[in-house]
Amino acid sequence: MKILVTGGAGFLGSHLCEKLLQNGDEILCVDNLFTGTRQNILHLLSNPNFEFMRHDVTFPLYVEIDEIYNLACPASPIHYQFDPVQTTKTSVMGAINMLGLAKRTKAKILQASTSEVYGDPEIHPQIESYRGCVNPIGIRACYDEGKRCAETLFFDYQRQHNVNIKVMRIFNTYGPRMHPNDGRVVSNFIIQALKGEDITIYGDGSQSRSFCYVDDLIDGMIALMNSKDGFYGPINIGNPNEFSILELAQNILELTKSKSKLIFKPLPQDDPKQRKPDISLAKKELNFEPKTELKEGLLKTIQYFKKTLDL
Ligand code: NAD
Ligand code: UDP
Ligand code: UDP
């Protein structure tokens, strides 16, 4: 099987490439290295089944492949807000190009969508049939609306051109190879704790997120790609164990034995107050069940940052 992974040099993409190589597949990793790094895939470059191509998915790509995992898109608010027009282009034009490629080659294609399609949700936990509450003109819209439009394109290519699609709504995921400067809460708090710097809580820290360890997420992603024909999603994948941001900070302080102080900063605009996946569909269709408890996953992530940042 020849598999294309777009965004393959990023956090999730590099773990996905690694896992697919273990299954004996041939991988073409396409990435423009905007937020991804060569370092993330350095250990894969010597594998004869792995090929890296520097390419921006907003431009057409003509290759011959059997499956496509479309992950290319900056994922953290700091990175996707850095060049918001490029973020929307990546989601929308990237989806059109990859769907065009899937249509021509008859490849199966999986879209890495996001819980952000639910925006600042009014129902809790979020179920796939919920249509979301997104501010279309806010600072998160380039990402949220880009991903929503990509989902539309996926379902229209399915209906109009019979493309075999799989749409996955990913909830907050953490683990080794998160970008140290991307401002996401888990990497920020761990690095601050290890350096003895103040822990920056935005707002009062009562907002919640449900954190999934990367290995569990990748298992769910591959299970979705291999799910029964005619099952398209959208499907939530994540860990439903919900924590307030304050609880996350306390866990990280305890695990790092850090003496860092908590400081409170303004809450960014449109920051969702709560987020938790309803994963009953994933349990039923994919037999999906996240296995890694928060503390166990945090310990592995702490070890990674200690080693790579020499802390
Ligand atoms: P990441 O930023 O580490 O990875 C994204 C990768 O895409 C990077 O390697 C980047 O260089 C590449 N990229 C960006 N624009 C590109 C372009 N125009 N052409 C080619 N490559 C491009 O982020 P991640 O956390 O690994 O996220 C991967 C995917 O999963 C994204 O689509 C993201 O929206 C989705 N997702 C992630 C999370 C999460 O918690 N990590 C949650 C929801 C959805
Ligand atoms: N495309 C691509 N690789 C392919 C086939 C198509 O990148 O192997 C791109 C191409 O740029 C095209 C887009 O995908 O504009 C959508 O393709 P589709 O066939 O749906 O539309 P059309 O070619 O008619 O624009
Ligand atoms: N957050 C925080 N301090 C930080 C970084 C983030 O309190 O240093 C908060 C942020 O406001 C949000 C939550 O943590 O409420 C998760 O933020 P992240 O950027 O990781 O992901 P997202 O908001 O996209 O879920």
Side-chain angles (χ1 to χ4, degrees):
M1 189 91 89
K2 188 151 185 190
I3 304 179
L4 167 63
V5 178
T6 77
F11 162 48
L12 297 182
S14 61
H15 285 275
L16 175 65
C17 289
E18 199 173 284
K19 195 71 187 264
L20 293 171
L21 281 170
Q22 284 165 14
N23 298 343
D25 294 307
E26 215 178 302
I27 306 303
L28 174 60
C29 165
V30 162
D31 201 297
N32 69 350
L33 299 183
F34 173 51
T35 50
T37 61
R38 270 177 210 288
Q39 193 60 38
N40 284 343
I41 49 167
L42 209 55
H43 60 301
L44 306 178
L45 289 174
S46 60
N47 188 320
N49 284 333
F50 183 79
E51 186 183 352
F52 173 67
M53 182 195 287
R54 187 165 182 159
H55 172 81
D56 183 324
V57 294
T58 62
F59 296 98
L61 177 67
Y62 286 82
V63 289
E64 304 310 314
I65 29 85
D66 304 304
E67 281 182 355
I68 307 169
Y69 287 86
N70 188 36
L71 274 64
C73 185
S76 80
I78 288 185
H79 282 147
Y80 71 64
Q81 287 165 18
F82 173 76
D83 186 349
V85 174
Q86 172 67 11
T87 300
T88 303
K89 281 187 187 170
T90 294
S91 276
V92 176
M93 293 162 70
I96 292 175
N97 287 327
M98 292 309 106
L99 286 161
L101 173 62
K103 179 182 141 197
R104 183 181 61 76
T105 58
K106 300 196 171 22
K108 192 164 26 165
I109 180 166
L110 180 147
Q111 167 68 355
S113 190
T114 168
S115 53
E116 285 282 319
V117 299
Y118 302 122
D120 191 0
E122 305 126 309
I123 67 152
H124 198 66
Q126 290 77 54
I127 189 158
E128 289 84 352
S129 55
Y130 175 54
R131 293 183 187 175
C133 174
V134 173
N135 172 3
I137 57 168
I139 55 172
R140 295 175 85 103
C142 59
Y143 183 74
D144 300 7
E145 297 290 15
K147 289 283 190 180
R148 286 169 67 95
C149 184
E151 286 200 8
T152 307
L153 285 161
F154 268 69
F155 278 85
D156 281 332
Y157 266 79
Q158 195 288 314
R159 286 184 287 253
Q160 202 173 329
H161 299 300
N162 208 22
V163 171
N164 192 357
I165 62 160
K166 306 278 176 188
V167 175
M168 167 175 185
R169 291 183 177 156
I170 303 172
F171 282 67
N172 294 64
T173 303
Y174 69 99
R177 298 195 209 124
M178 292 183 90
H179 197 297
N181 299 328
D182 75 5
R184 278 189 265 194
V185 68
V186 174
S187 44
N188 263 13
F189 285 4
I190 290 180
I191 294 168
Q192 288 163 345
L194 290 175
K195 288 185 171 169
E197 292 171 355
D198 293 342
I199 306 278
T200 51
I201 310 265
Y202 302 159
D204 61 6
S206 64
Q207 71 272 33
S208 73
R209 293 292 186 272
S210 309
F211 299 100
C212 185
Y213 187 64
V214 60
D215 290 354
D216 289 329
L217 195 281
I218 298 299
D219 286 347
M221 189 180 282
I222 295 174
L224 174 60
M225 182 61 109
N226 296 327
S227 60
K228 68 172 188 259
D229 273 354
F231 179 74
Y232 307 127
I235 186 165
N236 292 338
I237 303 283
N239 189 325
N241 288 340
E242 184 183 7
F243 297 88
S244 72
I245 295 306
L246 216 46
E247 282 172 319
L248 175 75
Q250 278 146 2
N251 270 299
I252 290 175
L253 283 178
E254 185 192 313
L255 294 171
T256 52
K257 302 186 177 64
S258 168
K259 296 198 169 59
S260 289
K261 290 196 304 291
L262 304 184
I263 58 162
F264 293 86
K265 297 211 159 186
L267 193 65
Q269 188 196 328
D270 293 338
D271 199 276
K273 285 178 279 304
Q274 52 182 7
R275 188 182 288 148
K276 168 181 169 153
D278 180 318
I279 58 165
S280 6
L281 184 65
K283 279 186 184 160
K284 177 171 159 271
E285 290 292 335
L286 312 178
N287 210 8
F288 173 75
E289 189 80 66
K291 298 183 190 72
T292 316
E293 292 297 332
L294 183 69
K295 283 193 180 175
E296 184 191 346
L298 284 177
L299 271 176
K300 290 185 187 172
T301 315
I302 291 165
Q303 284 311 324
Y304 167 80
F305 280 120
K306 261 190 185 166
K307 200 167 136 216
T308 52
L309 302 180
D310 207 11
L311 296 170

